[in-house]
Structures are given as structure tokens and as C-alpha cells.
Amino acid sequence: TVLCAFPMIARATSVGTSMRELAMDHTHTHEKIDLTYAVGSRYVPQALVDLNHFLRDHYSGLVGHMDPGVYDIMHAVRVALGASAPYQIISGYRAPQTNERLRTTRGGGVAKSSLHMVGKAVDLRIPGVPLAELRDAALELKAGGVGYYPGSAFVHVDTGRVRSWSG
């Protein structure tokens, strides 16, 4: 069993329950997932396997290993916003080959050393929640990087060092 990557987030978001849940819809694969990924300070191993598959590289189908800390950030943001709608996922894990192809064919916006390639980043939005509010809630956590992409209608969150940018 794996311990929570951000125990302070786990404690802060365990309002009345020790279970942490996530619901997501993938904008590219059209798959949906709704599960309990952690109980108390421990992650649910099968949930992590299911989430790795759900957040696979939707271009190649390759499944990476996602950092469970990303889920803690997502859970904390949802709780902070009081949001009930599932996250819409634009991108999770990205294979290095996919990242390089996107980086060289999309006119910028894809980092050469993207944390997506090591399962530490996700691009997302929540229907009905203004993008700026989603960004602000993620920034307030000070738990990793937050990129704001209003032109593409998503926010990037990652478990890297605390920083922010707009794209």
C-alpha cells in the first residue's frame, strides 16, 4: 500500500470521511471513471491501476505510471471549489514519442521535458466552473505547478515544483 503523497491535502480534504474519490470524463477517449482512489492515508492499489489506464496516452494507447499526488491535488481542488461535476480530462500521461511529435508539430505549447511524460501532470477543466477559479484553487494549494490556458480551455496541474504560468 502506498502512502499519500500530500498528507496535508489528505487531512484538509477528509471532511467527514476518510475516502477520497474522483470522477472524470476523458474528452478524447470518451471514457468515464468514478472511483475511490484512497482511504485514509493509503491509496487503493486497484484504483491506481484503473487511473493509470484511464489517463493513458490517448494517441498511442501506452499506459504510464501516474503520480498519485496528482489525484490528491485534483481532489483538493474539487473540494475547495465545492464542485460536483466530473473533471473533463484533456491529457494525462504522454509517451515521450507523442510529446516530441506534439512539440514539433503544434507551434509550441508542449514542453520538451513535460511532466506529462513521467505521469506527474494532467490537463483538465470542470464544467460549470470558470477556468480562472479552477486555476486559483489549484494555486492556493501550493502543491505543484499550475498552467492556465484560457485559449484552449484547460488548466494544467502537476506535482513538480510550485510555479505558475499562462499559455
Side-chain angles (χ1 to χ4, degrees), residues 40-64:
S41 63
R42 304 211 179 268
Y43 295 112
V44 177
Q46 186 58 52
L48 298 182
V49 170
D50 294 345
L51 287 163
N52 283 341
H53 178 76
F54 181 82
L55 292 169
R56 69 192 178 278
D57 181 331
H58 64 271
Y59 292 96
S60 69
L62 291 173
V63 177

Side-chain angles (χ1 to χ4, degrees), residues 19-127:
M19 295 189 341
R20 292 192 306 287
E21 302 169 333
L22 281 175
M24 297 181 263
D25 298 339
H26 202 293
T27 61
H28 296 284
T29 66
H30 305 290
E31 295 170 330
K32 298 176 183 309
I33 195 168
D34 187 347
L35 49 63
T36 298
Y37 75 92
V39 178
S41 63
R42 304 211 179 268
Y43 295 112
V44 177
Q46 186 58 52
L48 298 182
V49 170
D50 294 345
L51 287 163
N52 283 341
H53 178 76
F54 181 82
L55 292 169
R56 69 192 178 278
D57 181 331
H58 64 271
Y59 292 96
S60 69
L62 291 173
V63 177
H65 177 77
M66 294 296 294
D67 177 354
V70 171
Y71 311 137
D72 293 329
I73 292 169
M74 293 171 64
H75 178 77
V77 165
R78 236 177 121 186
V79 169
L81 292 169
S84 58
Y87 276 105
Q88 290 180 337
I89 301 300
I90 290 85
S91 183
Y93 172 74
R94 197 180 299 144
Q97 304 88 328
T98 298
N99 195 77
E100 184 61 18
R101 184 170 44 79
L102 294 175
R103 194 179 73 75
T104 57
T105 61
R106 291 253 172 122
V110 175
K112 185 173 188 167
S113 300
S114 172
L115 290 178
H116 286 278
M117 296 188 299
V118 290
K120 293 180 179 281
V122 66
D123 299 336
L124 46 73
R125 62 181 168 246
I126 302 174

